[in-house]
Amino acid sequence: MPEETLLKLTQVTKRFGALTAVDGLSLEVQRGEIFGLLGPNGAGKTTLINCAIGLLAPDAGEVAVGGGNPRERLVRARMGIAPQTLSLYELLTAEENLSFFGHLYGLSGDRLKERTRWVLDFVGLENRKRDAVKTYSGGMKRRLNLAAALLHDPQIILLDEPTVGVDPQSRNSIFDSILELKRDGRTIIYTTHYMEEAERLCDRVGIMDGGRLLALDTVHGLIAEQGGLPRLVVNTDGREIEMLTADPLAELNRLAASAPIDRFRLDQPTLEQVFLNLTGRTLRD
């Protein structure tokens, strides 16, 4: 089956005065994939997402969602957004929050009730639906934030740092939900500061810095192309020796010929190393 592009950005540029937040960036996201977007603070990720959902109009270039302009209401309705800043009313219950957002999406009557039941069950909050959100844990609020993004049954779901500040149980629940959405054919754009999340969930990853897309590939492809050589750490003759090598077995044999090896460790390149090689800094800088 041929791939179908659901989100396409072509030479998108967005400026704020003298600052170019997004600089001639192009990428395509295919139906049914989880696309990870990584970048340090100030890389332009949020501006790019705001252009993708139609909240901002680019100064140059084009954005298309399913071939349409996301600035148009009917096109934007194909997307669900779970922002990093929680979009919830804490004095309302989960049901009341979803009822409010559902009416904004144009849902009402039996359809709204049906979707509310479904999303609450999907994120595991059915038994807390009549409790005020202020009584929820951080992880439960994140799950309700996801439920609100799914309420209108969108094709494309944008998740901006969806596991910030959550407990391990809620994080795993969110992971399971995301993978189930993928199995259902949904398209997910996922921004995160956690490399292990991108490695676990994402089909492809784009790395941004300075408003530009520095690299885009599968996790394995990025590591193979940009991760560098494995690091061999050897303890021998009272010393610790570190080296980058394409042939660790040959290096171990060479060292063992002159002194016994007490222990050794081989560290394979990681996505974190790819990010450091491309940007010169860690993701949290």
Side-chain angles (χ1 to χ4, degrees):
M1 181 181 296
E3 291 184 338
E4 178 186 356
T5 300
L6 279 194
L7 174 64
K8 183 175 183 179
L9 297 94
T10 306
Q11 292 295 306
V12 170
T13 297
K14 184 63 183 179
R15 302 181 184 90
F16 300 98
L19 173 66
T20 301
V22 179
D23 189 4
L25 190 148
S26 298
L27 64 84
E28 296 182 6
V29 178
Q30 309 301 323
R31 178 184 292 277
E33 76 170 325
I34 302 177
F35 183 89
L37 192 61
L38 303 179
N41 292 331
K45 302 189 305 298
T46 299
T47 300
L48 183 69
I49 286 175
N50 286 340
C51 289
I53 65 177
L55 189 61
L56 292 174
D59 297 314
E62 295 182 354
V63 179
V65 176
N69 187 340
R71 303 280 286 176
E72 298 174 4
R73 183 179 62 84
L74 292 179
V75 176
R76 191 185 298 183
R78 302 178 68 183
M79 295 183 285
I81 302 107
Q84 180 177 354
T85 302
L86 292 169
S87 299
L88 302 169
Y89 294 95
E90 297 224 335
L91 296 180
L92 301 181
T93 68
E95 276 189 327
E96 289 167 342
N97 268 277
L98 294 174
S99 176
F100 172 76
F101 289 118
H103 281 93
L104 293 181
Y105 289 129
L107 300 176
S108 62
D110 289 342
R111 178 60 173 165
L112 176 56
K113 292 177 182 177
E114 174 192 341
R115 290 301 301 168
T116 298
R117 283 194 300 268
W118 188 90
V119 296
L120 285 171
D121 181 66
F122 184 74
V123 300
L125 290 174
E126 174 66 26
N127 64 336
R128 296 291 303 272
K129 63 185 179 182
R130 293 191 174 93
D131 294 340
V133 171
K134 68 179 181 180
T135 68
Y136 283 14
S137 68
M140 292 171 66
K141 291 176 182 178
R142 285 284 166 197
R143 284 149 58 193
L144 183 58
N145 206 45
L146 174 60
L150 300 175
L151 191 60
H152 59 302
D153 203 15
Q155 293 180 329
I156 304 176
I157 303 150
L158 295 100
L159 306 177
D160 191 8
E161 300 283 356
T163 64
V164 168
V166 308
D167 57 274
Q169 182 179 359
S170 287
R171 176 175 281 113
N172 285 327
S173 174
I174 290 170
F175 290 165
D176 290 343
S177 297
I178 290 168
L179 292 172
E180 187 170 340
L181 289 168
K182 173 182 167 59
R183 287 192 292 270
D184 193 41
R186 306 308 167 102
T187 303
I188 299 162
I189 299 169
Y190 191 99
T191 76
T192 181
H193 274 80
Y194 301 115
M195 292 293 181
E196 66 275 12
E197 293 187 3
E199 291 177 337
R200 174 174 174 176
L201 296 173
C202 297
D203 299 300
R204 292 189 302 147
V205 171
I207 295 178
M208 281 188 71
D209 198 20
R212 293 179 176 271
L213 190 65
L214 303 183
L216 192 162
D217 204 340
T218 64
V219 171
H220 292 304
L222 286 172
I223 291 173
E225 287 291 323
Q226 307 286 347
L229 296 173
R231 180 182 300 274
L232 179 64
V233 182
V234 180
N235 291 91
T236 178
D237 198 23
R239 299 176 299 154
E240 183 173 272
I241 301 171
E242 293 189 21
M243 66 183 74
L244 299 176
T245 175
D247 193 347
L249 182 58
E251 293 297 338
L252 284 171
N253 288 331
R254 181 181 64 80
L255 292 170
S258 57
I261 293 175
D262 300 318
R263 61 182 182 274
F264 70 90
R265 183 180 79 247
L266 185 66
D267 296 332
Q268 296 291 346
T270 64
L271 193 56
E272 183 84 40
Q273 187 61 47
V274 170
F275 193 89
L276 182 63
N277 291 346
L278 287 170
T279 68
R281 48 184 166 165
T282 64
L283 189 56
R284 293 171 179 82
D285 284 351

